[in-house]
Amino acid sequence: MSEQSKDVSDPDFAAEAPHAEAHGSPGVPAGVPPPTSPAATLAEPQSSSVGPTAAPQAAPPLQAPSDEDDPKALQQAAEEGRAHPSPSAAQPGPAPPAPAQLVQKAHELMWYVLVKDQKRMIIWFPDMVRDVIGSYKKWCRSILRRTSLILARVFGLHLRLTSLHTMEFALVKALAPEELDRVALSNRMPMTGLLLMILSLIYVKGRGARESAVWNVLRILGLRPWKKHSTFGDVRKLITEEFVQQNYLKYQRVPYVEPPEYEFFWGARASREITKMQIMEFLARVFKKDPQAWPSRYREALEEARALREANPTAHCPRSSVSED
Amino acid sequence: MPNSLICCTPFLQKFPSYMQSSARRMGIMTDVHRRFLQLLMTHGVLEERDVKRLQKHCYEVHDRNATVEKLEDFINNINSVLESLYIEIKKGVTEDDGRPFYALVNLATTSVSKMATDFAENELDLFRKALELIIDSETGFASSTNILNLVDQLKGKKMRKKEAEQVLQKFVQNKWLIEKEGEFTLHGRAILEMEQYIWETYPDATKMCNICHRLLIQGQSCETCGIRMHLPCVAKYFQSNPEPHCPHCNDYWPHEIPEVFDPEKEREAGISKLNKKSLRSRQH
């Protein structure tokens, strides 16, 4: 599936973008503000032209639903780029590919994104171009758009541009209610239990949890930093490296402390995927207490739940979602 | 009517005709199916009993009152939508004990490069070398030593033996290989995904099961005429046959006949194991 034709210019993709080269880099200029909504991205009046390809029928109408937010933002950024023609624009571009080839590329990109997400690897736009899109770089907008559409309609996943600055994408669940699906299958539970333990500790403290505090808690589970565990393996590596790499935790040095100490915080991914109410339910089960035994935290969790419900009025009521087998 | 963030009907009017047929097929995709696909993709490969649990979970989340469709039909329905995307939920059976499992596979590329998203060039080449040894072997297993001895022949960056050991472990963790007592064979998922590629690339060395005519890595063979059979195929073919004979040359079949995989027996065994576990944990 990887594109063998690695375009030499690709590693400098981001640097090239402002120059809007004639071979049609889709120009993701650094100046564009993060796409919070399609309307907010650019003030320029948008042409309703659907795409540069010879296959205009391949593109769904722009009034598509919100699952098109971020690919559209890229598209708008690309329109912006194309509004500044470069001096070498007179060069003839490559022949436009058949629609079927673009469709095939979209399918390849879909699989690529799914596998990256499955391996919990970063989905990086330059990688997408290098590994999948390759010589179809000029049409990557329409390819991306189609891929996003398929992912939304078949998998219920949003391909979201999480950071325009680093050009990272993420696959976000579009289905409500958002739940810890991992707990549906107990064979994934050990990891989640460990992670939830640490996240709960951080949450209850209300600030970062020092590494020493985390190990005190893990000792209850029989885990020690120097001991290899039959299920978890190298626990220290798991929590300080793997969970951090997957953006579930942040592991940072405590400033101004000698000898050096480190503390844990919630990672961006944990904040996205795990609700405070789930943490309260977890605590209630582990300590066999009512969630209201942590009154201020419980109140916070209720408020977050209310805010989520208001943001998502069509959602079902979230069930008690954290279940340990 | 299940709530769906993606409502298909308004699209049908706006799409040009060639897209409408696939859009219509996508009309059967409900949030139940979407969640199922998401979770199946997350896990990569799942045993049948976990798949059934997964299906039930998806119904419970999105469509509590509906009757849970028979798994085979449920999956066929999803596959009809996936067909145009060149992916499929495939069912396989483990070669050693006949356990059914499911995996979401990409049909478009059948070569080893489909693993290319995860592995470097030299790692992929290590896999290819291991694959060749496994296919050429009599037992379907390649020893760790023999694989590691090929480390110098790998394409790409030079790899030390120590590193290669870890890469082999990566393959095991990612369910491309299985390890048993220092020897490696193909995981059922790898066979499912690469069957086509293996037939095409190693047409002479590849073995076939006499019963199901599918690719065979591990199995039993007749000592007289040399035909081979998968262990689960042997189990089914010779089930309750007190005097098994080779289906090809009729000679006495000399090997132990395995048991046919029974999911019910599995469940009971699992429950008693669970009971023992929970008793032990209370002693802490």
Side-chain angles (χ1 to χ4, degrees):
Chain A
M1 174 191 336
S2 333
E3 279 295 321
Q4 291 309 311
S5 54
K6 294 189 198 297
D7 200 345
V8 175
S9 58
D10 282 349
D12 299 318
F13 192 75
E16 278 182 328
H19 303 296
E21 297 205 0
H23 65 78
S25 57
V28 183
V32 178
T36 46
S37 72
T41 43
L42 295 171
E44 275 78 8
Q46 293 309 310
S47 60
S48 56
S49 73
V50 156
T53 72
Q57 70 272 24
L62 277 179
Q63 291 83 355
S66 58
D67 58 346
E68 292 232 356
D69 276 356
D70 303 297
K72 253 207 307 185
L74 270 184
Q75 172 207 324
Q76 287 160 348
E79 307 272 18
E80 164 84 325
R82 288 163 66 81
H84 307 290
S86 72
S88 47
Q91 243 177 55
Q101 287 174 296
L102 289 181
V103 170
Q104 190 189 332
K105 279 293 163 193
H107 296 160
E108 284 177 26
L109 186 61
M110 171 203 74
W111 186 252
Y112 179 86
V113 161
L114 283 171
V115 172
K116 283 274 187 197
D117 184 68
Q118 182 195 71
K119 305 291 175 202
R120 304 199 193 180
M121 293 166 74
I122 299 286
I123 305 170
W124 199 38
F125 183 63
D127 280 344
M128 284 160 69
V129 174
R130 180 194 66 197
D131 294 336
V132 181
I133 300 180
S135 51
Y136 293 92
K137 215 163 50 147
K138 192 173 168 188
W139 296 276
C140 92
R141 292 191 327 241
S142 80
I143 294 173
L144 249 178
R145 200 187 306 133
R146 179 182 296 270
T147 301
S148 311
L149 196 65
I150 298 172
L151 282 168
R153 300 174 84 211
V154 178
F155 287 83
L157 294 166
H158 281 335
L159 181 60
R160 226 170 251 297
L161 185 67
T162 51
S163 161
L164 186 56
H165 178 62
T166 56
M167 288 194 278
E168 278 173 31
F169 283 86
L171 271 184
V172 174
K173 287 192 181 173
L175 304 173
E178 305 259 337
E179 277 187 33
L180 263 183
D181 284 306
R182 273 173 277 273
V183 307
L185 295 164
S186 58
N187 53 359
R188 296 281 278 212
M189 224 6 237
M191 293 297 171
T192 322
L194 176 61
L195 179 65
L196 281 178
M197 204 66 159
I198 301 174
L199 290 176
S200 309
L201 176 65
I202 300 170
Y203 180 55
V204 165
K205 275 175 163 281
R207 50 183 159 76
R210 291 280 178 97
E211 188 167 356
S212 47
V214 169
W215 284 111
N216 278 337
V217 164
L218 295 185
R219 208 175 55 218
I220 302 171
L221 295 175
L223 301 174
R224 302 277 199 282
W226 58 83
K227 269 209 273 191
K228 275 221 185 330
H229 191 259
S230 54
T231 311
F232 301 120
D234 185 340
V235 184
R236 187 155 193 284
K237 184 158 184 258
L238 180 62
I239 65 178
T240 59
E241 289 179 27
E242 288 184 42
F243 284 162
V244 173
Q245 211 180 44
Q246 294 164 11
N247 286 318
Y248 284 113
L249 289 177
K250 285 210 254 271
Y251 182 62
Q252 289 166 2
R253 171 122 182 237
V254 180
Y256 314 122
V257 168
E258 285 295 335
E261 278 189 50
Y262 292 82
E263 53 185 346
F264 289 90
F265 296 89
W266 277 47
R269 192 165 178 174
S271 310
R272 272 203 309 272
E273 295 185 4
I274 301 171
T275 67
K276 294 178 179 168
M277 196 50 87
Q278 283 164 342
I279 297 289
M280 298 313 298
E281 287 165 348
F282 175 78
L283 287 171
R285 296 191 63 172
V286 168
F287 293 98
K288 307 221 186 325
K289 288 187 184 174
D290 192 274
Q292 308 206 36
W294 297 266
S296 59
R297 296 289 168 257
Y298 187 64
R299 244 177 286 128
E300 272 183 52
L302 279 178
E303 275 174 30
E304 187 198 60
R306 193 181 311 127
L308 284 172
R309 268 199 305 277
E310 277 164 22
N312 220 347
T314 56
H316 299 256
C317 284
R319 304 154 39 230
S320 163
S321 49
V322 180
S323 57
E324 283 187 61
D325 281 342
Chain B
M1 184 67 186
N3 264 329
S4 174
L5 284 180
I6 291 93
C7 188
C8 292
T9 358
F11 275 99
L12 287 175
Q13 295 105 37
K14 292 183 189 173
F15 278 174
S17 58
Y18 86 90
M19 275 196 83
Q20 272 189 18
S21 56
S22 55
R24 224 178 286 127
R25 271 205 302 279
M26 286 193 193
I28 66 136
M29 289 299 287
T30 66
D31 284 353
V32 179
H33 301 99
R34 290 188 189 104
R35 185 172 288 263
F36 181 82
L37 265 181
Q38 277 178 23
L39 291 171
L40 186 58
M41 187 68 208
T42 304
H43 288 87
V45 51
L46 275 180
E47 279 187 38
E48 189 168 54
R49 66 162 176 200
D50 288 331
V51 173
K52 288 190 170 158
R53 256 203 280 174
L54 181 63
Q55 184 198 19
K56 216 171 126 226
H57 167 77
C58 295
Y59 270 96
E60 278 172 18
V61 172
H62 290 288
D63 205 356
R64 266 204 192 175
N65 299 317
T67 27
V68 176
E69 196 180 6
K70 197 172 127 203
L71 185 66
E72 197 183 323
D73 297 331
F74 185 77
I75 290 187
N76 284 340
N77 278 333
I78 296 179
N79 277 338
S80 69
V81 173
L82 300 183
E83 197 184 330
S84 57
L85 306 175
Y86 300 109
I87 60 179
E88 187 182 331
I89 302 175
K90 271 204 182 170
K91 180 177 176 178
V93 160
T94 57
E95 281 191 320
D96 49 6
D97 54 4
R99 262 164 218 276
F101 64 91
Y102 293 83
L104 186 57
V105 305
N106 185 347
L107 302 171
T109 53
T110 55
S111 67
V112 174
S113 66
K114 69 165 61 236
M115 296 159 68
T117 36
D118 307 338
F119 300 105
E121 190 187 356
N122 56 3
E123 294 173 332
L124 285 179
D125 213 34
L126 182 68
F127 184 81
R128 252 180 238 117
K129 292 273 183 281
L131 182 62
E132 276 178 39
L133 285 177
I134 289 170
I135 291 171
D136 283 334
S137 76
E138 187 49 39
T139 57
F141 281 87
S143 75
S144 172
T145 324
N146 288 345
I147 300 173
L148 294 176
N149 281 338
L150 299 173
V151 147
D152 294 325
Q153 300 172 26
L154 295 180
K155 293 186 210 160
K157 205 173 105 175
K158 186 162 159 61
M159 190 191 291
R160 287 183 307 264
K161 278 193 184 168
K162 251 298 176 220
E163 222 184 302
E165 273 176 5
Q166 287 172 3
V167 175
L168 286 175
Q169 286 311 313
K170 232 199 332 180
F171 290 142
V172 171
Q173 274 160 30
N174 283 288
K175 303 205 171 105
W176 295 103
L177 294 178
I178 296 173
E179 185 188 357
K180 251 192 201 142
E181 295 164 7
E183 294 197 314
F184 293 90
T185 189
L186 284 187
H187 195 283
R189 180 259 194 108
I191 297 176
L192 207 57
E193 291 218 40
M194 298 186 190
E195 187 169 355
Q196 198 63 31
Y197 166 76
I198 293 174
W199 281 117
E200 288 167 9
T201 317
Y202 308 101
D204 302 319
T206 307
K207 303 168 186 81
M208 186 182 80
C209 172
N210 195 264
I211 302 292
C212 67
H213 303 288
R214 300 281 295 269
L215 176 68
L216 184 141
I217 303 284
Q218 292 177 63
Q220 292 178 352
S221 62
C222 175
E223 287 174 4
T224 316
C225 66
I227 61 132
R228 293 167 193 272
M229 288 159 60
H230 289 120
L231 292 164
C233 294
V234 167
K236 252 190 248 157
Y237 188 74
F238 290 133
Q239 197 176 18
S240 54
N241 181 342
E243 290 187 4
H245 290 273
C246 172
H248 191 249
C249 69
N250 214 33
D251 228 19
Y252 176 66
W253 192 260
H255 308 284
E256 186 186 333
I257 310 298
E259 293 266 314
V260 175
F261 176 74
D262 183 357
E264 284 308 307
K265 282 219 188 99
E266 269 288 303
R267 216 165 47 87
E268 284 161 29
I271 288 172
S272 68
K273 230 199 308 184
L274 208 64
N275 285 336
K276 285 201 203 114
K277 251 196 206 162
S278 60
L279 279 176
R280 249 181 297 161
S281 65
R282 289 205 193 108
Q283 290 165 17
H284 281 193

